[in-house]
Every structure is written in structure tokens, then in C-alpha cells.
Amino acid sequence: MDLWCKLLSFRQIFVQTQHVLNRSTILICLSLAAAPLCSALDTDAAKQELASIETFQNGLQAMEDKLPQLATMRFRETLENTELSEDAQLATKLKLAESLIRTGIGYEASQILADKAYDDVAAAQYWRAEAIASMGHFAKAAEAFGEIGSKHPNYGQAKLAQASLLRSIPRTGEAIATLREILELDNKGTLHNQASLLLAEIFIDLEDYEEANLALEDIEDSSPSASKLREFLEAKIALAQTDFALAEQQFKRLISSKEYLSRAIFQACFMGKSDAETGAGKIEDSISTLIKFIDENPNSPLIDSAFRRLGARFPDNAPADHPLRQKLLTWSASSQLNNYSYWNANIQSSPWSSVAETSLRAPKKQKNEDLASYALFYRAYLLSSSKSAAERAMASALFSKLRLLYPNHPLSRWSMLESAWIEIRNDDFDAARFDLSIVNDIAITPKLKDQANFLHGLILDQDEHFAEALAAFSAASQSGFDNVSEAAEINAGISALKAGQLAAFEDELGKAQSTAAITSLQLERALWLCAAHQLEGRSQLLTFINEHPEHARTNEARLALTSAALYIAPYDVALAEDLISVLLGSLTDADSHAQLTRLEIRANELKEDWLASAESASRYLQRFPTASNTAEFQLKLGESLFHNGDFNKARQVLAEIPRKSPNSEFTPFALYYSALAARREATPQALEESVAVFQQLIDMDSKLTNEARLQQARVQVDLGYLALAEASLREVYQQEAISPSLRRGAGLLLADTLHRLGSSEAKFYQEALDVYKQMLEEDGLTLSWKHRIHYQLGQTYQQMKKIQLALDSYYSVINQEDAPKAAAENEKEWYWFYKCAFTALTLLEQKALKDESQWLAVVSLARKIASFDGPRSEDAAKRASYIAQERMIWED
């Protein structure tokens, strides 16, 4: 009988703990959130020295960005510099200590700050006290803050921290006295408001509401945050004084206008509103408030408080369709019961049980596990009080389900006690004793002279001395012989264009006398602009064609315009196709037709109509089967078939090129695409054939050899021949006489191969990291490459579970630490930048899910990403805003 009474008492204590609003902490115990970044030692020499040290400055930036863990890494790197002066070392160590404290590593910080060199440094005295507090020694920390003198720059903040600590010990009287000192020290401002708020909360704890109201009246209204907190405390006072109608109204107003409320206080308002409704006898309204809270905040730290209230307020004999019963079913529906041997024939259908719940599945990570755990527990809890043996059996099964699916949840242990309670009700005392015994075991143009000048110009042009050629032709253009003058005018203009002197060209065009010269120069200018990929060239060619439809060079202009429409963005495929249809009837020789076919293929490629592209190449081969450029169009045919997905047919066409023209310049490319096609067929045999064809290309020692090695390595990776791929890639990567882009491609693939090998032997992860780091040291690395390598580096760190190092790699991109020093201001790269940025943001969010204090860093980082004028800055800004609102992070 005694045991029975204890269990009843336990159930009452567990479910019915205080249903008035629990004490909430307005101010954090330590002052870290409000504390300013400490200044380093105030020596001009140290400041000047550290201003030139990049790692130290990056550390300061990380601190400003609310990323103390990354700052810690930067300050440690700074201290590795053996040439640092003593003062610079001391200043750096002081910053390191601060970052450690903000990271929660108080012991190491205290060891650094113990150096007697800091005895007269004001900032060190303050952070020594913070270090002590971060280690949980609140009484000693309170004393340390109390020893900070009134002339200290952070004196007021230190006193506030001391008062908060004294309240926590608790030494309430001393906390009140300390807060009174602060109020006398600072008549207005943030510190004054903080002290008044803390003082009011202490008096509320002491149930001295008169003094609490006096403290609240002393708060300055200019601070939105302080004003909102005052409203919250006033609502608490109304609730404590049983003025439930007023309390309900005040909490409801705060919930509907949540700006400047912290997430914790906002959520506490729901608890307060529910308590006020309960006090006023509106139980169903109270339950509805809690249900709304849980639906909107399934991962809230107050979910336990919400469910406790629900458990206590649930009416006896509530019907099966009661809103709370239905919500508990919905919240716990992520876990289904299937065959479970614990159950037996005695478990019968209950009006409040899910038909699908007939067994248990193996443990699986669920969304909102905390919510599902509480819902399972309270479903079982409410059933366990039933007089029905079938409902109590269902309750036991739900408690067992909770323990199986969420063994490390705190309620798992509680469920053992509840199971024991049910067993006692069922007179199964042995099972109850067993359950109780294991409760604690559950865890990016001239005359004669003019002719001389003219010929001189031609020679200079041949020598590519275009500016001198311009001068020679310009002199020849003054000839009295029209034919020499006209040719010289044209050549002078062309030389100006070749010299890149457009202004000089316009001068020559303005001086031109003959209509023919003017017309030719206009065409040459249009052709030059197109060759320079300038869109204006297209419009000038179109104007030329429209104004001179019968000119001898009109078809040349049409071909040029067709090419420009297909190679100068934005592409105009429709215009190109119209021009091709006009040219098809006028160009009949093989060379002109070849040029036209190339453009037709290009148009089809832009439309990704690979079948049409293949048909264009095939038509040329059928019309000119003995042309000298047959291999070129066979290659185009094979490429088109490859892109169309006809890999086997592509291989058959491409195989004809090395067989018929083994020494053709197109043979290496044919082998290359043939090998790629075999790879894309993806059968084991085709992959082996791909490796063999790539080897044939490698043995030819062509300009594609190293590219073939890379592609061969990719296939070897597909086949699982990682060691062979690694050896081949190392040979390419270690070559000195290869292009930077090829070397980088080899480096990335090599590192990726090593990354894959790392799954079987961890040393390869480190080798992959070494390759990435070596690549980052290359000269002339573009911003895009740096960002890409940092992203891959971070991915490898993630695979190694070194999340902080991965975050460090991504953050160096966000913080532009590796941006090329000589980069033009307009050089931007966004793809890999955002890959790093949003991956870092995701990692930081994951950390914040475990450590609520990290949400400020998440918002800070998202805002930093949004500050860049990039294509996804708006996404980052929205994310920052969303998280800030969701986590109740406000700015005055």
C-alpha cells in the first residue's frame, strides 16, 4: 500500500508541477551577449604590428561576425608566428582568451589570463571573471566581478553580471544591493534598463509586487526591447496576483505583437496565457492555447512545460474525439506500430488508438522527435488512468514503443516508472519491480610613291605591326590614283581595326572618298566587331545586308551574321536558320557548303536537337563523300549521336575515323568521344572497353593524352579501380609542363579519388586534404578555383566529422580571405561562393539546433552572406529574417 501511494504521488508531481507561469530568466547569467569585444593591449607598436597580420584581422572579423570558434582558430594561427613581439603576443592571447570564453572553454582561457603580464590590463580583469563564471564557479565569479573597480570601462556591465550570478546562487539580498548600485551609477540607458528588469524579476520571485512595479516604472520607454520585457513582467505580476482577465489580455497582446521579444519570452507568453485562462476557469481555452503553441513551436524548449500543463488540465472522462486526444494521435503519428511480441491477445481495440498501431518498427530518426516523444508519452499517460484493462494494455505498449524508438529521450526513463505504475494497477508486482530496477540504465593604295607606301603597309601587316601599317596605308590613301587610294583607304581602316584602334578607324572612315571604300570599311568594321564578340557587330551586318542586298560580299556578310547569331550571346537561332535557308540555294561548292553545314550543326546544338545535328553532318557526308574534310564531319556525326544518347551507334561511326584516317588530326578526338560513349553505355564490358580506348589515346601521345588520363581515371573510379586511378592521376598532377586548368582538374579528381579511398582507410582523407591545400597555394588561382577547392576541402572535413574545420574552410570563402590580392574589384564568382556560404549556414544551423546560443551566429552569418551583391543575396536575407523571427532575435 505504501508503494502504491508513492507512485500516485510521483504521477501527481510529474504531471502537476507548478501551473502558474514558471520563473523565466530575463537576463542571461553571464554578460557575454551584451559584453563588448575586448580591446587588445593599448600599445601603438602592438596595434600597428597586428594590423598587418591577416590571421589576426580575420580573427577579429570572425568575432564581429559572432563566430568565436573560428576566431579561436585564427588567433591560434597568429600565435604560431615566431616573429611576433611580446606585446603582440600578449594582445593576441587576450583575444584568444575572450574567444575561448565565448566558445565555452573557460579553463584554457583562465590559464592564459593567469599570466601576471595581464595584471594591469583592464580587459583581462573583466575576462578573468567571465572565465570563472563559464566554468560554473558562480560564487567565485561573483566575487571576481565585485573586485572590478569603478574606473574600469566595463564596471557597470561587471556589476550587472555579479548581480545576475548572486541571484543564481542564490544570494538575493546581495543581488538587490548590487542592482541598486547600478541604478545609482546609470540613471538612463541600456544598463539601467537591464538592472531594473532584473530587479523587478527578483521581487516577483519574492512575491513583493509593489517593489517589482516600482522597478518596472523606472524603465526608460525609448528601448523597444526593454518596454516589451516590462510588459511581460507586468503580465506575470497580474497572473501572480490572480488578476486572470488582465493577465490573459496582456499575454495575448504580447503574443499578437511579438517584435522585440526574445524567443524564450515569446514562448513563455503562451504558458502565461494558458495559466491565466486556467485560473479564470476556461480550461478548454487553456488547452487550445497550448495546442496552438505546440503546433507552431514543436521544437521549443518549453514543450515539456506545455505538455505538463496539458496532462494536468485534461478533463476526466473526456470523449475519444476530444481535440487533445486527436492532436496527440497526430503528433505521434510519425511512429507506427507493427507486429510486436510484447502485445498479446488481451490488447483489444480502443476508441482512442490508431488502427495502424499493431507493431513496432526498428528505431528510425524522425522529424520532431521531441514532439513525437511527448505525444506518445501523454497518450499513454492518459490511457493509463483508464479503468479499462484494454486501454491500460495499450498504454503499456505505447510506453514500450517510446522506449524503443526514442531510448535517449528523457521521457524514456519516466515511461519506465509509468509502466511500473500500470503493472502495479494490474497486480503484476514482479514486472513493476523489474522496470523500477532498470530505470537508471537508459541514453565564375598608292601611285609610284603611294604604291611604295601601300606595299610597305602590306609588309608591316604581315609582320603584325598594325599601327605602322596604318600609317603607311594612310599615306598611300592620299594617292591621286583612285584604285590605289581606294585600296589604301580600306587597308588603312583594316589596319586600324587590327591594331585595336577604333577611334583611328573612324578617322579613316571619315576621310574615305569612294563609296566602295566606305561600304567595304563599314562591312570590315562589322566583321571586326563580330570577331570581337560584340553584339553591335550583328546589327551592323544586318544593316549592311539590308542596304546592299546585291553587293559582291553580301553572302559573306550573311555567313558572318549567321555565325555571329550562333556564337555571340544572346544567341538568335531563328535568325541563323533563316539565313541558312537563304544561303543553301546560292552556295554549292564543298568548302562553302562545309562552312554552312558547320553553322547548321551549331544551330541544332544550341537547340540541343542532336538528332537534327547528326542529320546535317550525315547529309554533308552523303553529298561530298570524297571531300578532304570527311573525318571532320564523321567526328561531328559521332559527337551528335553521343549527345543524343545513341552511344553504340556513335562508337561505330567514330571507329571509322582512326581506321580510315589514323593520322588525321581528328583521330584523337574520335577516340576520345568513342571512349566517352563506351563509358556512358555503363555496362561492365563497355566500361572496360572505355578504359582500353582511353589507353589507346594515351599511347598516341597527343594533346589529349593528359585529358584522356583524367577521363580514364573517372572510368576506373566507376569500376572501383581506385588505386589505378590514383596512380594515373598522380602522374598527371605531378607534371610541370601542363596547363594550369588541366593540372587543377587532375588535382580535384585525385583528391576526390583519395576521398573515396578514405572510406576504407582514413589516411587517404588526409592525403586528399593535402592535395586541396597544395592546390590552394598555386599562383594565379582564380577566385572560382579557390572557392571550389575550399568547398571540396570542406566536404572532406565533413566526411571526417571535423565539422569545425569544414566550417572554417567555408567561412574563409565567405570572409574573402583567399581572394586574389591583385583581383579586379569587379571580379566575382558566385556558384562556389554560395555553395560554401549556404553549406556553412546549414552546418551552423545544425549546431544551433543543439546549442540555442548559436542562433545569433546563424543570423549574423546569413546577414553577412546577404551583404554581398550576388544573385542569391535576397535568399540569404530572407533566410536571416526568417531565422531571426523564428528564433526571436531582434535589434533595437
Side-chain angles (χ1 to χ4, degrees), residues 52-267:
S52 64
I53 297 177
E54 189 176 11
T55 54
F56 182 84
Q57 295 302 318
N58 288 334
L60 293 180
Q61 183 63 54
M63 289 290 282
E64 186 175 326
D65 290 339
K66 310 296 188 299
L67 295 167
Q69 290 170 313
L70 296 184
T72 297
M73 297 170 68
R74 299 299 191 274
F75 295 139
R76 290 191 194 279
E77 290 172 16
T78 303
L79 291 170
E80 290 174 4
N81 186 345
T82 57
E83 299 179 2
L84 278 181
S85 66
E86 183 177 354
D87 281 352
Q89 287 184 38
L90 288 171
T92 303
K93 287 181 179 179
L94 181 55
K95 294 301 298 180
L96 173 60
E98 179 191 350
S99 67
L100 286 167
I101 291 169
R102 292 181 182 273
T103 306
I105 308 175
Y107 179 77
E108 184 180 351
S110 67
Q111 296 298 302
I112 292 172
L113 296 170
D115 193 327
K116 292 185 179 299
Y118 293 118
D119 286 350
D120 297 321
V121 179
Q125 185 180 9
Y126 181 90
W127 289 99
R128 280 173 175 169
E130 291 283 13
I132 296 170
S134 69
M135 291 187 287
H137 304 317
F138 295 163
K140 289 183 178 180
E143 292 176 10
F145 278 116
E147 292 172 1
I148 293 177
S150 60
K151 294 183 179 181
H152 192 284
N154 299 120
Y155 175 71
Q157 195 67 41
K159 298 302 288 183
L160 185 63
Q162 180 188 21
S164 182
L165 289 163
L166 288 169
R167 177 204 180 192
S168 301
I169 296 174
R171 283 154 58 180
T172 307
E174 292 175 63
I176 292 173
T178 302
L179 290 169
R180 299 282 192 202
E181 289 180 41
I182 297 173
L183 293 173
E184 292 177 2
L185 176 71
D186 185 6
N187 293 328
K188 297 294 178 184
T190 302
L191 188 62
H192 182 93
N193 286 338
Q194 290 175 332
S196 296
L197 286 166
L198 184 54
L199 185 60
E201 192 168 38
I202 291 174
F203 283 123
I204 291 173
D205 293 340
L206 297 174
E207 299 183 358
D208 189 340
Y209 305 119
E210 182 178 352
E211 285 292 336
N213 280 316
L214 288 174
L216 291 175
E217 290 173 4
D218 203 27
I219 294 173
E220 187 179 8
D221 290 330
S222 61
S223 170
S225 295
S227 295
K228 279 296 181 73
L229 288 172
R230 179 177 62 191
E231 290 180 41
F232 173 74
L233 292 177
E234 287 171 346
K236 282 186 67 174
I237 292 172
L239 179 62
Q241 293 181 317
T242 69
D243 190 343
F244 301 121
L246 176 61
E248 178 185 355
Q249 178 184 9
Q250 290 174 319
F251 283 122
K252 184 176 181 179
R253 183 169 61 246
L254 286 167
I255 291 171
S256 63
S257 180
K258 63 184 180 180
E259 290 80 5
Y260 300 104
L261 278 177
S262 71
R263 183 176 181 82
I265 298 302
F266 173 71
Q267 294 181 353

Side-chain angles (χ1 to χ4, degrees), residues 13-52:
I13 291 173
F14 178 77
V15 180
Q16 298 181 10
T17 48
Q18 301 176 3
H19 301 306
V20 292
L21 186 62
N22 293 330
R23 163 179 151 179
S24 56
T25 302
I26 297 294
L27 301 173
I28 57 173
C29 177
L30 299 182
S31 55
L32 293 182
L37 297 177
C38 76
S39 58
L41 296 182
D42 294 326
T43 64
D44 292 335
K47 288 181 179 179
Q48 185 175 1
E49 181 179 357
L50 291 171
S52 64

Side-chain angles (χ1 to χ4, degrees), residues 712-740:
Q712 182 188 56
R714 294 184 193 278
V715 183
Q716 289 170 330
V717 169
D718 293 340
L719 288 166
Y721 304 154
L722 299 180
L724 290 175
E726 179 202 357
S728 181
L729 289 167
R730 283 192 188 278
E731 182 175 345
V732 177
Y733 184 67
Q734 291 172 359
Q735 291 179 32
E736 296 181 357
I738 61 172
S739 67

Side-chain angles (χ1 to χ4, degrees), residues 436-642:
L436 291 171
S437 69
I438 63 172
V439 164
N440 293 320
D441 296 331
I442 307 172
I444 79 133
T445 320
K447 231 182 200 179
L448 184 55
K449 182 179 179 180
D450 297 332
Q451 287 179 350
N453 284 328
F454 188 88
L455 294 175
H456 186 211
L458 293 176
I459 295 170
L460 289 167
D461 175 80
Q462 186 67 28
D463 294 336
E464 297 185 356
H465 296 158
F466 304 124
E468 290 89 338
L470 167 60
F473 287 128
S474 184
S477 67
Q478 303 304 313
S479 172
F481 294 89
D482 292 340
N483 58 342
V484 175
S485 175
E486 181 178 298
E489 288 173 347
I490 295 172
N491 286 353
I494 292 173
S495 295
L497 291 173
K498 287 184 176 181
Q501 299 177 15
L502 192 57
F505 170 84
E506 296 296 338
D507 288 339
E508 293 301 322
L509 179 61
K511 291 187 296 183
Q513 300 296 311
S514 73
T515 301
I518 293 172
T519 301
S520 292
L521 287 174
Q522 289 173 339
L523 177 57
E524 293 296 342
R525 178 179 59 192
L527 294 172
W528 178 81
L529 288 168
C530 286
H533 279 74
Q534 293 188 33
L535 190 60
E536 183 183 356
R538 275 176 27 185
S539 62
Q540 291 189 14
L541 281 173
L542 187 58
T543 298
F544 178 86
I545 293 168
N546 291 331
E547 292 180 354
H548 310 283
E550 303 301 322
H551 193 281
R553 299 179 66 185
T554 297
N555 276 344
E556 177 187 350
R558 289 191 179 110
L559 275 172
L561 180 55
T562 304
S563 179
L566 298 173
Y567 288 94
I568 300 175
Y571 308 126
D572 191 339
V573 178
L575 173 62
E577 290 179 331
D578 288 344
L579 289 166
I580 289 171
S581 64
V582 171
L583 290 166
L584 279 172
S586 56
L587 301 176
T588 57
D589 63 286
D591 291 339
S592 297
H593 203 85
Q595 187 174 1
L596 193 59
T597 301
R598 294 185 187 101
L599 293 172
E600 189 176 33
I601 291 172
R602 167 69 175 173
N604 290 323
E605 289 175 343
L606 287 174
K607 294 190 299 181
E608 294 187 355
D609 189 344
W610 303 109
L611 184 58
S613 179
E615 290 172 350
S616 295
S618 183
R619 279 195 302 269
Y620 179 85
L621 290 169
Q622 291 173 8
R623 185 171 182 177
F624 305 101
T626 60
S628 59
N629 51 18
T630 299
E632 173 190 355
F633 288 95
Q634 280 183 315
L635 177 61
K636 274 297 178 183
L637 175 57
E639 283 183 47
S640 299
L641 290 169
F642 169 82

